[in-house]
Amino acid sequence: MLLDEINKVLLMINEKIVPLDPETKTAVSSLNGFNVEFRLSGEEELLRLSAAVFEVENIYDDAFQTLSKEILILNSPEKLPSDLRLGVDTVDQTVTMQGVIDVSGALDAESIGFYIKTMLFYLPGVREDLLRVLAARQEEQEAAITQESAAFFADEV
């Protein structure tokens, strides 16, 4: 059974990876400080990986609009491998990194392990980039407020 084979391979890769549940064909494992979800889609024989990179407080505010531009930049081939993508989960209000591994043929533990390690390598850097963008935006807003306050008090005098 494909599920059993995948669970064996995942265990060989990293003993911290939780086996996929036989009923839901999903598992969530804490790897390098990120909760990585593994989900097997049976008919397509694809193993989908996703990890929340960043929580968004409000997807409708201006800060998120700035963040969404950075997400597009990070999705470029110069920043992320073409088989890893960032997206926004509007239900959970998170920025999520996702990837897919084709498990229809012979399972190659080495290539699956490399793929998982690649994802884990990029996750912290993406989080730092998003935090940096938000911090810069916060500084810009604080500077604008300070300028407005200074102009207001200068007019009063």
Side-chain angles (χ1 to χ4, degrees):
M1 178 177 210
L2 181 61
L3 182 71
D4 294 331
E5 291 177 44
I6 290 172
N7 280 336
K8 287 177 189 174
V9 168
L10 292 176
L11 182 61
M12 287 188 324
I13 293 168
N14 188 326
E15 60 190 34
K16 293 181 181 179
I17 298 177
V18 175
L20 300 174
D21 179 87
E23 288 184 29
T24 63
K25 297 181 181 176
T26 62
V28 177
S29 299
S30 180
L31 303 171
N32 295 356
F34 292 91
N35 287 330
V36 180
E37 179 183 22
F38 296 83
R39 183 182 324 120
L40 178 64
S41 60
E43 294 157 10
E44 301 168 350
E45 295 185 340
L46 298 173
L47 182 62
R48 300 179 184 278
L49 283 71
S50 63
V53 179
F54 188 82
E55 288 187 24
V56 179
E57 290 181 27
N58 181 354
I59 62 173
Y60 301 107
D61 72 359
D62 290 339
F64 179 73
Q65 299 308 314
T66 302
L67 203 60
S68 63
K69 291 175 188 172
E70 185 66 15
I71 291 168
L72 290 174
I73 292 168
L74 289 171
N75 271 328
S76 72
E78 296 83 30
K79 299 283 186 174
L80 278 178
S82 62
D83 53 356
L84 291 176
R85 287 287 148 253
L86 292 176
V88 177
D89 183 330
T90 56
V91 174
D92 290 337
Q93 292 193 322
T94 57
V95 175
T96 306
M97 182 179 287
Q98 299 177 355
V100 177
I101 303 171
D102 182 355
V103 291
S104 60
L107 296 180
D108 179 8
E110 189 174 317
S111 63
I112 293 172
F114 181 76
Y115 189 89
I116 293 168
K117 288 176 184 174
T118 299
M119 184 177 195
L120 293 174
F121 171 79
Y122 281 97
L123 282 168
V126 167
R127 177 184 281 165
E128 289 302 314
D129 282 350
L130 296 175
L131 288 172
R132 179 187 45 75
V133 167
L134 285 180
R137 180 158 180 6
Q138 180 70 28
E139 287 177 16
E140 288 172 7
Q141 286 180 329
E142 289 173 1
I145 290 170
T146 302
Q147 284 180 332
E148 288 175 13
S149 296
F152 175 76
F153 288 117
D155 288 344
E156 291 292 316
V157 175

